[in-house]
Amino acid sequence: MANVTIIERSYDGMVADWLAQRLSAALAATDGRIAISVPGGSTPFPILERLVDSAIDWSRITVWPGDDRIVPEVHPASNTGKIRALLEPAGAQVERLEDAAEVPHFALVWLGMGADGHIASLFPNTDPQVGDPQMLRRLTPDPLPPEAPFDRITLTIPALLRSDALVFVIRGEDKRVVFDAAARGEHDLPIARLLGAATQEITCFA
Ligand SMILES: O=C(O)[C@H](O)[C@@H](O)[C@H](O)[C@H](O)COP(=O)(O)O
């Protein structure tokens, strides 16, 4: 049973304020840089638009997309392109997963989740492993999600677990049912594998 703090009836401004506080605290705890991972999809970007205006020293933050579709950054489906457009002007360094050499330890990993229990691009058909020796994988979701029918590159479960904290923003009752069942260890979908192996603080904005 994963120890998850659920924050009910959340809204984008609330999540942005929480993230701003956590990132400020992580920056205050070190003289150097911190690394974070942020999700793609549709949920994060209204939150990131608020977060980018907060008083965070983005020049000390390296931002890793948790996953991306294998498309050019100028493609509308590119998570990295959208994240870069938002955060690089604020001073953040945004990584390209294809170029990644060494996946760091993350101060915070922020994830969304699909109704099928996927996280990042770890879809059920890819059989993601808690003990994966790789930090990054290229893979093909099957079925291809109609909203983003592309091959993917993604952080793996061990890479996502290389973090001080996990935070989820999960909107919709269908996803909430899947998430709660995962937290109780009632299925073996990717979200359940991640939560079952997590030892760090876990927060879910629902
Ligand atoms: O590349 C992606 O699509 C995301 O990384 C993906 O894992 C996303 O987080 C979930 O599918 C939830 O998407 P929404 O936030 O749009 O519900």
Side-chain angles (χ1 to χ4, degrees):
M1 177 81 173
N3 180 17
V4 180
T5 300
I6 304 265
I7 299 172
E8 306 276 3
R9 293 182 299 285
S10 71
Y11 51 92
D12 291 345
M14 176 198 288
V15 179
D17 290 347
W18 185 91
L19 288 167
Q21 287 165 8
R22 293 306 300 264
L23 296 183
S24 298
L27 287 168
T30 179
D31 295 333
R33 300 182 64 82
I34 65 170
I36 64 172
S37 178
V38 302
S42 58
T43 305
F45 295 101
I47 297 167
L48 283 173
E49 284 167 13
R50 286 170 168 77
L51 188 58
V52 76
D53 292 334
S54 57
I56 293 172
D57 182 1
W58 287 102
S59 69
R60 292 174 57 210
I61 301 181
T62 303
V63 180
W64 288 65
D67 69 314
D68 211 345
R69 300 77 181 271
I70 306 288
V71 294
E73 282 196 25
V74 293
H75 191 289
S78 171
N79 293 334
T80 307
K82 287 200 278 284
I83 294 166
R84 190 182 307 286
L86 264 173
L87 298 184
E88 210 158 71
Q93 176 184 324
V94 178
E95 291 290 330
R96 242 172 69 82
L97 293 177
E98 289 86 338
D99 303 338
E102 178 73 22
V103 173
H105 182 92
F106 294 108
L108 176 83
V109 165
W110 168 12
L111 289 165
M113 189 195 79
D116 61 357
H118 81 260
I119 44 173
S121 282
L122 301 171
F123 288 82
N125 75 288
T126 67
D127 190 25
Q129 296 300 304
V130 169
D132 193 333
Q134 292 184 209
M135 294 286 114
L136 274 166
R137 279 200 182 271
R138 288 172 176 267
L139 45 77
T140 302
D142 179 15
L144 281 173
E147 73 281 0
F150 305 100
D151 288 341
R152 305 293 182 97
I153 185 167
T154 184
L155 293 177
T156 60
I157 289 178
L160 296 170
L161 290 175
R162 190 181 279 187
S163 55
D164 295 332
L166 293 172
V167 58
F168 295 87
V169 181
I170 292 178
R171 298 275 155 79
E173 188 52 33
D174 57 339
K175 293 184 182 183
R176 178 68 190 275
V177 168
V178 172
F179 183 88
D180 287 351
R184 293 190 298 265
E186 294 173 356
H187 56 66
D188 190 35
L189 294 169
I191 179 62
R193 295 183 183 183
L194 180 78
L195 294 182
T199 56
Q200 59 271 74
E201 175 196 348
I202 306 170
T203 304
C204 178
F205 287 92

